[in-house]
Amino acid sequence: MRHRHWTSLPGKAVTGWNSLTSTEQTVADLVAQGLNNKQVAARMDISPHTVAHHLRQASRKLSIASRVELTRIAIERTAHHP
């Protein structure tokens, strides 16, 4: 069995929006627009399983537990960074 050892880049945030990868941010933005996992997957040409993985990672990094919270964070971010 192989174990992956992920390390953070120096100076990269560990939590919060800036800690998300670009793919996690894209998934989060599409979910915040109201798309379900299947719709996000179709738009990004990835599997719904991969979408779910990115959402779990984003939720962990943002310390949230729901799509509603994710939407709130995405809306607040957009309001502060148009």
Side-chain angles (χ1 to χ4, degrees):
M1 180 190 295
R2 290 181 137 179
H3 294 280
R4 294 184 183 188
H5 298 281
W6 303 105
T7 58
S8 297
L9 297 174
K12 176 141 170 83
V14 179
T15 60
W17 188 265
N18 290 330
S19 70
L20 302 183
T21 65
S22 61
T23 303
E24 290 165 352
Q25 288 180 4
T26 300
V27 167
D29 284 335
L30 292 171
V31 166
Q33 293 174 28
L35 277 65
N36 63 34
N37 287 12
K38 193 172 183 178
Q39 292 167 324
V40 172
R43 184 147 324 161
M44 294 182 68
D45 198 28
I46 58 178
S47 76
H49 177 80
T50 302
V51 171
H53 170 76
H54 289 304
L55 280 175
R56 283 191 304 274
Q57 293 298 97
S59 294
R60 180 183 55 80
K61 292 175 182 179
L62 296 172
S63 299
I64 59 173
S66 74
R67 292 169 96 90
V68 172
E69 291 176 285
L70 179 61
T71 301
R72 179 187 51 77
I73 290 170
I75 289 170
E76 288 174 356
R77 183 185 152 274
T78 303
H80 295 310
H81 302 93

